[in-house]
Amino acid sequence: ADFVHGFHGKNLTVVTGTHVDRIILETNDPTDRENREYIAVGVEVREAESGRRAMIKAREEIFLSAG
């Protein structure tokens, strides 16, 4: 993850040293009971070292990467 350290973008936040425990989903249109499409609106993460939990909500998109 050395290539992401020091990157400062207006529309991108890079978080390392965490594990995603849960992807938070919401229905795209809660009034449409026939078509239940879901969109990811955030993630629940846990810091690898301390175990502290946090919820991160997205304004636009969520990118997850592992490896």
Side-chain angles (χ1 to χ4, degrees), residues 1 3-4 13-20 23 43 62-67:
F3 67 93
V4 298
T13 301
V14 177
V15 180
T16 60
T18 60
H19 300 280
V20 174
I23 300 171
V43 291
I62 299 170
F63 293 93
L64 298 178
S65 177

Side-chain angles (χ1 to χ4, degrees), residues 4 7 16-17 26-27 32 35 45-47 51-52 55-56 61 66:
V4 298
F7 178 83
T16 60
E26 290 183 356
T27 56
D32 186 359
N35 189 13
V45 299
R46 178 176 28 91
E47 289 183 4
R52 193 178 82 196
M55 185 180 303
I56 302 171
E61 298 174 310

Side-chain angles (χ1 to χ4, degrees), residues 11 24-25 27 38 51 62 65-67:
N11 60 347
I24 302 165
L25 302 174
T27 56
Y38 291 88
I62 299 170
S65 177

